[in-house]
Amino acid sequence: MNSALDEYREVSPKGTVDFLYRLSDLVKGKSFLHLNAVRYGGGMSEVLRRLVPMMVSLGVQARWEVLAGTQEYFVVVNRMLNALQGRDDRLTDEMYHTYSSIIERNAKALKLEADMVMVHDHQPAGLVDYRTNGCWLWRCHLDLAQPQRPAWTFLRRYVLKYDAAIFSLSGFAQRLPIPKFLIYPSIDPLSPKNRDMSRSEMTQVIDRLGIHRVKPMLLQVARFDRFKDPLGAIRAYRLVKKHHDCQLVLAGSGVMHDPEGEAVLAELREAAGRDPDIHVIQLPPEADLEINALQRSATVVLQKSIKEGFGLTVSEAMWKGKPVVGSTAGGIAAQIVDGVTGYVIHTVEGAAFRIRHLLNNPGLMNRMGAMAREHVRRNFLITRQLSDYLTLLKLLPAS
Amino acid sequence: MTLPAVAPFAFIGCSELQESIAHQADDEKELAELIEEVPLDSIHFHTHSYFLRHGLIEGTYPNDFAQWVVVQIGDHVLGERLAVIDPFDYPDLENLREEIISIIDDHLSRTPIIPRVVFGQPFHFKRSRILEVPIGLEARTLQEFRDMVTDIDVSTIYYHMFEAHFRLRREENDFSAWIRSSLGMLKLADRIRSINPYQGSLERLRSKLITACDEFLTGESARV
């Protein structure tokens, strides 16, 4: 028996762990290399930290290498990120040159040989120029639906050299002549952000954040960013407040050294005015326990984003047995089964209408919350992603 | 007491890899045109693996086409007509494809406008690659079979009940075929064959299988 995986017996669907053992028998001894740009920070690193040891414990020679970049390089890839996601960030020829030279330097330093090499996102994508053996997959976690053309043209040149690309949703992909697979990202149910919490631990955190423990809580966890529409969340709350004595918590990070974040925060504070039931909480990066406690204490979770990546905060809340009222942006609607685990909404009014309906029907809220947790258990846990990666390793031959 | 089987039943689970194909529909006419054009694998994906992806949840529409026209377009009339299609009524996927197209064409001929996505998402066609995974369990008696069905991963139920239909090109699923040919329990085999997997989730299917086995085993012990 194997401890890294056996810990998931209690939380994953029936038979899953045994199935993973049998699946791993088909790929035992094969090597699998993950390449990305950061060791810490962000959902991808969070999952890789857990996923790679799990693969190793199943007999796969899994490794995770991180690209070494300069400050200048990270400025370039951040601009590239914005441009790929449609923002008007221009890149100069010099910037493209910086990218290529860092890639070349890393190609010399990194050991790139493996049966399967999975390159995450755009930062290390250029390493494909130095591929030797194995099957190379480009794992794109971004929404590439409407990129700035120059940035995509630059990146596409590399992407075409891969054996296949993997996107989180069909709608995030661009047209490509290589196979395009679809794999949802996942959450780790045993991580500090999602593990079970005792009532006293939860109470401690909620009290520390200054939130009323009895009043029904509407919660949106999101970076302070206009795309997350926190002002829309306040407008929805005000429509609900006419009928229910509730409170709204907007918890997020991303303000430090970010002028837009600061501006959004100022707008929110102004919109909240003197309403003591609106709590705008700035969280430090990786405030996992706080997010866990907030999601567990919430009555209804809201995700009112206008533009979103996959939006795994939805699955995190659903895992804690909460019905989620979410917009159609990004991957939010892909996680909610409308009318069963929560509601998909299109407007502020729709959000208010559904929240009111839920607050009027505690029984429905509990049933939806229970279904939400089961839906996540079967579709959005790390065990499912592990199964997908092992399947890739078995099904895709090296070119 | 049940006798051991002539040959054991070896359970096989499966893992599905979803692949996007470069077709997307924004309205119902386009949907019908593309259903005509896409590989049969894609028809299979959108009418079958919905169950694999929703192993527990019930109450939603049982295939992706019905789900899309209701949720993204808001056309409940076509959604209802597509929802009652039972893939088991068709000998192969080509016939199933023709039926779906014919329902959409008939619906469009009675509709003054072509319903299309306004605020929702387009329909993205996909297909899947299925990896068979022998899970290392073999049943030699009905009791063993019943106990193993209780604990297996739902993909195993999917593989033997759904995949079997088109893989074997016959009405029998793997479970009923084994119970008939290896255990010789014809009545139980008929009952399990008659379970329609398209009506309910994989978990409900598991419950139905267990109930059928339990009732048969209880009857057997009463006779002894």
Side-chain angles (χ1 to χ4, degrees):
Chain A
M1 282 293 161
N2 185 298
S3 64
L5 189 55
D6 283 321
E7 286 174 30
Y8 290 84
R9 276 190 193 278
E10 294 300 310
V11 287
S12 59
K14 199 187 267 188
T16 297
V17 169
D18 291 320
F19 178 80
L20 285 167
Y21 278 120
R22 298 289 78 80
L23 176 54
S24 68
D25 288 342
L26 305 178
V27 293
K28 212 156 257 175
K30 289 198 175 193
S31 51
F32 196 122
L33 171 62
H34 289 277
L35 281 163
N36 81 331
V38 286
R39 183 76 68 187
Y40 297 97
M44 181 212 315
S45 304
E46 204 177 286
V47 166
L48 283 178
R49 266 206 298 279
R50 195 77 183 186
L51 199 66
V52 171
M54 283 165 94
M55 293 179 94
V56 170
S57 70
L58 286 171
V60 176
Q61 294 171 32
R63 287 186 296 133
W64 173 18
E65 299 281 3
V66 176
L67 202 87
T70 57
Q71 201 176 350
E72 194 187 357
Y73 165 80
F74 283 108
V75 169
V76 171
V77 291
N78 279 341
R79 287 188 81 115
M80 206 184 276
L81 171 73
N82 290 337
L84 288 169
Q85 297 193 115
R87 293 195 195 187
D88 196 15
D89 258 355
R90 305 280 160 179
L91 286 115
T92 61
D93 286 348
E94 197 185 336
M95 287 173 171
Y96 289 127
H97 177 73
T98 302
Y99 179 90
S100 305
S101 64
I102 291 292
I103 290 291
E104 187 183 351
R105 193 190 305 167
N106 275 274
K108 285 176 187 157
L110 295 169
K111 191 169 169 278
L112 299 176
E113 287 78 26
D115 293 314
M116 181 160 279
V117 179
M118 185 175 282
V119 178
H120 296 263
D121 282 342
H122 61 294
Q123 301 95 332
L127 285 168
V128 71
D129 271 348
Y130 304 90
R131 63 181 289 178
T132 50
N133 64 339
C135 176
W136 279 60
L137 305 174
W138 186 53
R139 174 59 169 117
C140 179
H141 300 266
L142 311 173
D143 176 357
L144 292 185
Q146 292 171 320
Q148 293 288 334
R149 203 166 59 83
W152 173 236
T153 304
F154 175 76
L155 185 64
R156 191 174 186 274
R157 196 165 53 83
Y158 293 118
V159 174
L160 296 183
K161 294 174 185 168
Y162 284 83
D163 296 302
I166 303 167
F167 292 90
S168 299
L169 287 173
S170 298
F172 285 4
Q174 280 285 316
R175 194 184 57 76
L176 287 168
I178 56 174
K180 287 186 293 186
F181 294 102
L182 301 166
I183 294 182
Y184 289 149
S186 64
I187 62 165
D188 180 1
L190 304 182
S191 71
K193 203 194 279 180
N194 298 308
R195 68 161 171 80
D196 281 344
M197 269 183 138
S198 68
R199 184 162 286 280
S200 66
E201 196 180 0
M202 224 160 75
T203 308
Q204 249 180 0
V205 177
I206 295 303
D207 286 351
R208 199 173 64 230
L209 294 172
I211 295 165
H212 200 289
R213 270 195 274 130
V214 180
K215 254 182 211 182
M217 184 209 294
L218 317 180
L219 169 71
Q220 174 159 303
V221 176
R223 213 174 47 242
F224 293 113
D225 179 329
R226 288 199 177 86
F227 284 141
K228 310 294 180 185
D229 198 18
L231 286 171
I234 291 182
R235 283 163 56 211
Y237 152 81
R238 291 226 159 97
L239 291 172
V240 175
K241 185 80 172 174
K242 288 181 189 167
H243 305 271
H244 294 273
D245 185 18
C246 58
Q247 57 184 335
L248 172 69
V249 176
L250 296 169
S253 59
V255 173
M256 217 187 298
H257 311 304
D258 173 15
E260 192 196 324
E262 281 172 17
V264 171
L265 200 57
E267 283 169 21
L268 283 179
R269 292 205 165 117
E270 195 187 326
R274 292 185 177 184
D275 187 338
D277 285 330
I278 298 179
H279 307 270
V280 179
I281 301 173
Q282 277 191 77
L283 296 170
E286 307 214 7
D288 294 344
L289 284 180
E290 286 80 359
I291 291 173
N292 193 342
L294 283 168
Q295 287 171 332
R296 284 179 193 281
S297 307
T299 314
V300 177
V301 171
L302 179 62
Q303 199 67 47
K304 178 62 193 70
S305 310
I306 297 162
K307 194 170 167 61
E308 187 59 82
F310 195 78
L312 273 176
T313 47
V314 170
S315 279
E316 287 165 11
M318 287 166 71
W319 177 243
K320 285 139 196 155
K322 304 298 168 184
V324 177
V325 173
S327 69
T328 54
I332 296 173
Q335 295 168 78
I336 299 171
V337 182
D338 191 29
V340 181
T341 69
Y343 292 107
V344 176
I345 49 95
H346 301 82
T347 58
V348 164
E349 292 79 2
F353 170 67
R354 293 304 191 184
I355 293 168
R356 266 167 28 188
H357 180 63
L358 286 168
L359 293 177
N360 282 328
N361 294 280
L364 173 67
M365 210 150 50
N366 291 338
R367 282 196 303 279
M368 278 191 162
M371 290 303 269
R373 182 169 167 93
E374 286 311 310
H375 187 55
V376 171
R377 192 192 304 282
R378 285 153 198 278
N379 294 285
F380 299 107
L381 292 192
I382 193 169
T383 41
R384 194 232 66 236
Q385 197 169 351
L386 175 60
S387 173
D388 290 340
Y389 284 3
L390 296 175
T391 305
L392 280 171
L393 188 53
K394 176 64 188 172
L395 283 181
L396 299 192
S399 65
Chain B
M1 199 182 93
T2 59
L3 294 171
V6 175
F9 185 87
F11 288 93
I12 295 175
C14 63
S15 176
E16 181 197 51
L17 205 53
Q18 292 185 31
E19 188 175 353
S20 174
I21 53 178
H23 294 86
Q24 78 172 46
D26 288 300
D27 64 43
E28 290 178 359
K29 186 163 174 279
E30 252 178 17
L31 180 72
E33 285 166 358
L34 290 171
I35 288 174
E36 190 138 39
E37 201 177 294
V38 294
L40 281 175
D41 291 359
S42 183
I43 304 297
H44 183 266
F45 177 88
H46 292 296
T47 52
H48 287 75
S49 62
Y50 183 86
F51 292 89
L52 195 53
R53 285 171 278 136
H54 294 83
L56 180 82
I57 303 286
E58 288 179 21
T60 45
Y61 291 83
N63 63 66
D64 291 340
F65 303 124
Q67 178 82 11
W68 181 70
V69 297
V70 172
V71 175
Q72 304 297 340
I73 294 189
D75 184 346
H76 291 262
V77 176
L78 180 58
E80 287 168 8
R81 294 186 65 187
L82 291 172
V84 293
I85 293 175
D86 181 350
F88 268 28
D89 288 343
Y90 305 92
D92 55 35
L93 287 167
E94 200 54 77
N95 280 274
L96 176 60
R97 183 207 307 256
E98 278 168 24
E99 178 65 10
I100 296 168
I101 293 168
S102 138
I103 288 172
I104 301 175
D105 282 346
D106 181 64
H107 177 70
L108 290 176
S109 71
R110 296 159 200 269
T111 316
I113 52 149
I114 295 169
R116 61 175 296 115
V117 168
V118 179
F119 298 110
Q121 302 291 320
F123 187 92
H124 295 280
F125 281 86
K126 299 172 197 162
R127 66 178 168 199
S128 63
R129 300 190 191 184
I130 295 280
L131 173 66
E132 294 176 10
V133 182
I135 59 169
L137 291 177
E138 288 192 349
R140 287 178 173 74
T141 64
L142 185 62
Q143 185 66 52
E144 277 182 10
F145 174 82
R146 182 251 178 241
D147 292 345
M148 287 171 182
V149 165
T150 309
D151 290 326
I152 52 179
D153 174 76
V154 285
S155 77
T156 311
I157 295 172
Y158 173 83
Y159 181 82
H160 292 298
M161 295 287 285
F162 285 85
E163 285 289 300
H165 178 60
F166 288 107
R167 182 166 30 84
L168 303 175
R169 290 176 176 271
R170 64 181 186 198
E171 286 182 22
E172 200 93 89
N173 59 63
D174 288 346
F175 295 147
S176 62
W178 177 72
I179 288 168
R180 189 183 310 283
S181 63
S182 286
L183 293 178
M185 297 166 177
L186 306 186
K187 271 193 172 172
L188 179 62
D190 285 344
R191 181 169 171 189
I192 288 181
R193 190 182 71 171
S194 71
I195 296 174
N196 187 330
Y198 294 94
Q199 291 168 7
S201 66
L202 288 172
E203 285 298 348
R204 186 166 295 263
L205 208 48
R206 188 203 300 270
S207 300
K208 283 182 181 171
L209 288 167
I210 293 169
T211 305
C213 291
D214 282 348
E215 286 177 7
F216 187 85
L217 287 164
T218 309
E220 283 266 288
S221 60
R223 274 195 290 281
V224 174

